[in-house]
Amino acid sequence: MAYNTANLNSKYEEIKYINWINSRLSPPPKDNINENYNSNDSTIQVDHIGDNLTDGILLLKLLDTIFPEKIDWSKIDKKANNKFKQLQNCSYLISIMKDLAIPIASLGGRDIVDGQKEKLFAVLWLLMRAEFIKENGVRTDEEKIGRASCRERV
């Protein structure tokens, strides 16, 4: 029996992203609640990448956990029940990512609304990367070159 390793890798990748999403969108422990936490938000559980992210709302909430107060929630249609409203939400997400200098390349709101897994994986990876850089600092190529040249002089 032959296994489709590409399909297995995709499923494994999806599980990793689902776990990351759920860990970021779950409410904080009661002893660690800050002033930005909204107790009216119910616990969010994502179980499928394609179905749960196409309206853009959860992706915007993820972005908001990384960069609080960058999103103008009055511009979001929280009941995006048709493709047009979903596209507005997803296009707003892409514009915020561009404003934050997250390198989105050729991604567009339509890719998210259409539920293209590879594109959704790319958006999630970029959000994970942005979170890592924010928490740990970034070493640009210029910084790496500068540090290397300092070591060479010693």
Side-chain angles (χ1 to χ4, degrees), residues 77-133:
D77 189 331
K78 294 180 181 143
K79 296 178 183 173
N81 52 6
N82 64 51
K83 295 275 187 189
F84 178 74
K85 292 177 181 179
Q86 293 170 356
L87 182 58
Q88 285 180 319
N89 287 348
C90 293
S91 296
Y92 181 65
L93 169 75
I94 296 296
S95 72
I96 295 294
M97 290 176 74
K98 284 181 183 177
D99 291 346
L100 293 168
I102 297 173
I104 58 167
S106 64
L107 293 171
R110 173 65 60 197
D111 299 322
I112 298 167
V113 173
D114 289 345
Q116 297 179 29
K117 268 195 185 175
E118 293 80 20
K119 302 287 184 162
L120 288 166
F121 288 168
V123 170
L124 291 168
W125 183 85
L126 289 168
L127 292 174
M128 291 174 82
R129 180 180 179 271
E131 179 185 53
F132 179 84
I133 289 170

Side-chain angles (χ1 to χ4, degrees), residues 35-146:
E35 65 278 355
N36 295 327
Y37 176 67
N38 181 357
S39 61
N40 294 328
D41 284 348
S42 60
T43 301
I44 298 166
Q45 282 297 147
V46 172
D47 55 2
H48 187 262
I49 294 292
D51 296 338
N52 295 137
L53 303 179
T54 56
D55 65 1
I57 295 169
L58 291 181
L59 291 170
L60 285 159
K61 286 184 179 189
L62 275 172
L63 188 62
D64 191 49
T65 64
I66 301 166
F67 298 100
E69 302 186 23
K70 294 289 184 187
I71 295 173
D72 180 357
W73 288 99
S74 67
K75 294 182 178 181
I76 307 304
D77 189 331
K78 294 180 181 143
K79 296 178 183 173
N81 52 6
N82 64 51
K83 295 275 187 189
F84 178 74
K85 292 177 181 179
Q86 293 170 356
L87 182 58
Q88 285 180 319
N89 287 348
C90 293
S91 296
Y92 181 65
L93 169 75
I94 296 296
S95 72
I96 295 294
M97 290 176 74
K98 284 181 183 177
D99 291 346
L100 293 168
I102 297 173
I104 58 167
S106 64
L107 293 171
R110 173 65 60 197
D111 299 322
I112 298 167
V113 173
D114 289 345
Q116 297 179 29
K117 268 195 185 175
E118 293 80 20
K119 302 287 184 162
L120 288 166
F121 288 168
V123 170
L124 291 168
W125 183 85
L126 289 168
L127 292 174
M128 291 174 82
R129 180 180 179 271
E131 179 185 53
F132 179 84
I133 289 170
K134 183 178 179 207
E135 290 177 358
N136 298 295
V138 62
R139 285 184 44 191
T140 64
D141 289 339
E142 292 80 22
E143 290 174 325
K144 291 176 190 175
I145 292 168

